[in-house]
Amino acid sequence: MADARASSASSAASPTFDEVFCGLLPRLYRRAVMLAGSRQSAEDVVHEAYLKLAARPQRFLAHPEPYAYAFTAVLSVARDAYRKDRRQVLVDGMEGVEEAGPGGGAGAVPGASGGWDGGVERRQAEIEAVRLLGKLSHRQAGIVILVDLDGYTIDQAAKIMKVHRGTAARHRARALDRLRAYLVESEHGQAGR
C-alpha cells in the first residue's frame, strides 16, 4: 500500500508527455507557421512532430530542454513535407483560384477601412516574416528562428540542430545576407512604382 502511494506521488510530481508537449504547443505552432508558411500546414507539421515524439516519450521527457527537442522534430517534419511537396506534379489550376493569386483571399486586406487596428500591424509583420523565411532553406530558417527569434546562442542552436558551430554560424550569416538582399530588392521594387 505504501509503495502504491509512493509511486503515485512520484508520477504526480513528474509531468507526463502530453502535459509537457501541450505546454509547448503555442510556441511550436508559431514557429511551425514560420517554417511551413500557412496555419494549416503548421498544424499538420506539429501533429506529425507530436506523433514522432510520442513514439519515444521517455527521450523527450529526459531531454534537458524539451522545447529544443520538439523544435528539432518540427523542423525535420517541415523539411520532409517541403521535399514531398516539391516532388508533386502540378495539375491545371482551378478556376477562380488563379485570379485571386497568392494571398488574394479574404485575409488580404491591405487598405481595409473601418478603424479596427488591433494587431493588424503585428499580423502583417508576421506574414512578412513567414514570407521571407520561406525564401530560405529549412536549416537557414531554423537557425534564424532559434537565434534571432527564440534567443538561443549560436552554440546552443548548433547543438539543437546537430551541426557544428561553424556550420550554424555560416547558415545564419547566409540567411541574413539573403534576407537583406530580399529586403533591398523589395524596397527598390516599391520605389520604382
Side-chain angles (χ1 to χ4, degrees), residues 7-23:
S7 66
S8 67
S10 68
S11 67
S14 62
T16 66
F17 172 80
D18 285 337
E19 290 171 341
V20 174
F21 193 86
C22 288

Side-chain angles (χ1 to χ4, degrees), residues 6-80:
S7 66
S8 67
S10 68
S11 67
S14 62
T16 66
F17 172 80
D18 285 337
E19 290 171 341
V20 174
F21 193 86
C22 288
L24 299 173
L25 274 177
R27 193 170 173 194
L28 289 174
Y29 276 129
R30 285 193 305 273
R31 300 312 180 215
V33 168
M34 293 178 167
L35 292 169
S38 73
R39 185 177 178 155
Q40 182 179 2
S41 297
E43 289 174 357
D44 292 342
V45 165
V46 172
H47 178 73
E48 288 298 318
Y50 172 84
L51 294 175
K52 196 175 191 181
L53 294 173
R56 294 193 178 121
Q58 64 281 5
R59 283 187 177 180
F60 174 71
L61 292 172
H63 196 275
E65 217 173 322
Y67 168 75
Y69 195 80
F71 177 79
T72 304
V74 166
L75 182 64
S76 173
V77 170
R79 184 175 42 239
D80 292 345

Side-chain angles (χ1 to χ4, degrees), residues 99-193:
E99 290 122 23
V109 196
S113 61
W116 178 73
D117 176 281
V120 172
E121 235 179 279
R122 179 172 183 217
R123 182 66 183 142
Q124 286 175 338
E126 288 173 354
I127 290 169
E128 181 66 8
V130 168
R131 185 184 71 78
L132 289 171
L133 286 171
K135 295 178 183 263
L136 302 175
S137 73
H138 278 85
R139 280 199 177 186
Q140 289 174 340
I143 291 292
V144 169
I145 288 171
L146 286 171
V147 173
D148 298 303
L149 297 177
D150 288 339
Y152 288 98
T153 65
I154 293 285
D155 290 328
Q156 292 168 327
K159 191 174 181 180
I160 291 167
M161 303 267 308
K162 296 182 175 105
V163 296
H164 188 271
R165 182 196 192 288
T167 303
R170 189 173 61 247
H171 280 307
R172 181 171 177 262
R174 287 180 180 167
L176 294 177
D177 287 343
R178 282 179 80 179
L179 291 174
R180 284 185 200 102
Y182 288 130
L183 290 173
V184 167
E185 184 179 300
S186 67
E187 285 178 10
H188 286 313
Q190 288 176 356
R193 287 184 184 176

